[in-house]
Amino acid sequence: MNRPIFNVEEVNKVIRNRRSMFVTQFKQNDPVDDSLIEEILENANWAPTHKLTEPWRFVVFSGEGLRKFADFQADLYMQRSEKNGNFIEATYQKLKENPLKASHIIAIIMKRDLKANLPEMEEVAAVAMAVQNMYLTAAAHGLAAYWGTGGPTFWPEAKEHFGLGEEDKLMGFFYVAKPATDRWPQGKRNPIADKVSWVK
């Protein structure tokens, strides 16, 4: 295979203009085509991975699946908070309603391959790079998307619900929708020179 020729300006453009866009910025009741979600996931599958463990796994919720996810996380929140005595109605409603405002929600999972004998950090990083590929693909298509680690992400019951082993991790949820407006969020970064030391 010959070395591919990339459009460097376009690569820089999509990287530097990728933005998180949240539920309040979603266009509702206008689903993203499944083929775009499949492209997002295909690009996720090409993230760097030491020893080719490919530790990323995804569960995609769409259509009625969004309601199933919403009911699951809201009901689980209620069960957990009743035990702890810290139930908040607004939190319950948010967990119940926000998933229905998305087109697709993708659960992000890190599946460990213990035989590979890799540090967990490498596998977590590989999944994070897969999510960055998802972000960039969504941005290139002009979609609204964000990676959230709220709700059931760190609840042990959710881990069990997704069939994860002790060494596996639920790493959050990637929300995707069409944006409600053509206005693209402005980004801001401090200068890279403030964060780099050169040794020559």
Side-chain angles (χ1 to χ4, degrees), residues 110-131:
M110 186 272 288
K111 188 76 175 169
R112 286 283 268 158
D113 179 355
L114 297 178
K115 291 180 288 186
N117 196 30
L118 293 174
E120 181 186 66
M121 183 183 73
E122 290 194 13
E123 300 294 75
V124 169
V127 176
M129 286 187 279
V131 175

Side-chain angles (χ1 to χ4, degrees), residues 12-199:
N12 289 341
K13 182 178 173 183
V14 71
I15 289 172
R16 296 175 192 180
N17 288 282
R18 178 217 57 80
R19 298 288 179 266
S20 292
M21 297 176 71
F22 301 99
V23 170
T24 56
Q25 298 163 292
F26 287 179
K27 183 179 183 183
Q28 297 179 42
N29 304 313
D30 187 7
V32 174
D33 195 279
D34 283 349
S35 64
L36 290 183
I37 302 301
E38 289 166 0
E39 182 179 328
I40 286 170
L41 294 169
E42 178 64 29
N43 286 348
N45 199 41
W46 287 93
T49 166
H50 191 186
K51 295 188 178 180
L52 295 178
T53 57
E54 301 174 38
W56 43 81
R57 299 290 185 277
F58 305 104
V59 179
V60 183
F61 299 92
S62 66
E64 275 304 303
L66 294 169
R67 188 170 300 280
K68 291 176 183 176
F69 173 68
D71 290 345
F72 160 71
Q73 68 172 6
D75 292 347
L76 183 54
Y77 168 75
M78 179 178 283
Q79 293 168 25
R80 288 171 56 86
S81 58
E82 284 178 347
K83 288 179 186 175
N84 301 330
N86 59 356
F87 178 79
I88 300 170
E89 178 66 28
T91 301
Y92 174 81
Q93 290 300 328
K94 182 178 176 182
L95 292 169
K96 192 93 168 171
E97 296 168 6
N98 275 359
L100 307 183
K101 299 173 184 177
S103 170
H104 294 71
I105 298 174
I106 305 170
I108 303 161
I109 293 163
M110 186 272 288
K111 188 76 175 169
R112 286 283 268 158
D113 179 355
L114 297 178
K115 291 180 288 186
N117 196 30
L118 293 174
E120 181 186 66
M121 183 183 73
E122 290 194 13
E123 300 294 75
V124 169
V127 176
M129 286 187 279
V131 175
Q132 174 72 339
N133 285 1
M134 294 162 69
Y135 253 130
L136 295 175
T137 308
H141 282 288
L143 298 175
Y146 77 94
W147 178 10
T149 56
T153 300
F154 302 111
W155 299 344
E157 301 93 334
K159 197 169 176 178
E160 181 180 340
H161 177 80
F162 284 95
L164 305 188
E166 186 178 341
E167 299 291 331
D168 305 330
K169 286 189 182 301
L170 180 59
M171 290 179 55
F173 301 91
F174 193 72
Y175 282 63
V176 184
K178 293 178 181 176
T181 175
D182 288 335
R183 289 178 60 86
W184 199 253
Q186 289 292 312
K188 182 181 179 182
R189 293 290 187 274
N190 293 318
I192 187 62
D194 296 346
K195 307 165 189 173
V196 178
S197 298
W198 291 72
V199 180

